[in-house]
Amino acid sequence: METIHKIGRRKTAVARVYLSEGKGNITVNTKDLKDYFTTGTLQYKVNQALMLTGNEENFDVSVNVFGGGITGQAEAIRLALSRAMCELDAENRSVLKPEGLLTRDPRMVERKKFGQKKARKKFQFSKR
């Protein structure tokens, strides 16, 4: 099996995932998964696509991720892994789709407008 390369995005985070046969090692930016994502929730998010398809021990995953915060990065990796699982076996799609793992979340930070403090917040108004 050759290496499968997929990209996932979330907010401003971009994750490039390289999937190859192995023993289940996941490296993120040359660090181990548990060192890069310290909380259990984020580790679960990254592993979710592999767990649902039953492939935790079958593949080595190498990830390059940049931009955004750690939650956005974890969700970008999750989307890329889900896409890779679908390319690997088309039947995985029926497992991942109902869980919402193949949907690219379109929510982005709203831009700041001029004459305002933030996107929606205004400067304090003084009547007198």
Side-chain angles (χ1 to χ4, degrees), residues 14-123:
V14 179
R16 291 190 182 88
V17 168
Y18 301 92
L19 197 75
S20 56
E21 285 195 31
K23 295 184 173 70
N25 300 324
I26 301 176
T27 55
V28 182
N29 291 351
T30 66
K31 289 184 181 178
D32 187 55
L33 174 71
K34 288 179 175 53
D35 296 332
Y36 195 85
F37 295 114
T38 51
T39 63
T41 332
L42 296 175
Q43 291 170 16
Y44 172 77
K45 278 184 181 179
V46 171
N47 283 318
Q48 198 171 3
L50 295 170
M51 288 189 322
L52 287 171
T53 55
N55 290 319
E56 299 114 324
E57 308 293 312
N58 303 345
F59 298 103
D60 283 345
V61 181
S62 175
V63 182
N64 292 336
V65 65
F66 62 92
I70 53 169
T71 305
Q73 287 184 352
E75 292 179 11
I77 293 170
R78 179 173 71 175
L79 177 61
L81 275 172
S82 301
R83 288 176 172 171
M85 290 293 114
C86 284
E87 184 174 309
L88 198 68
D89 186 7
E91 292 174 10
N92 288 336
R93 188 171 179 82
S94 61
V95 178
L96 298 171
K97 186 87 169 130
E99 298 290 322
L101 298 187
L102 295 172
T103 309
R104 200 286 195 195
D105 195 342
R107 295 177 294 174
M108 299 287 280
V109 176
E110 191 175 333
R111 79 174 199 85
K112 182 198 171 295
K113 280 77 169 189
F114 61 89
Q116 296 182 14
K117 207 172 186 104
K118 297 191 324 190
R120 305 264 174 115
K121 190 175 184 178
K122 313 284 191 283
F123 289 115

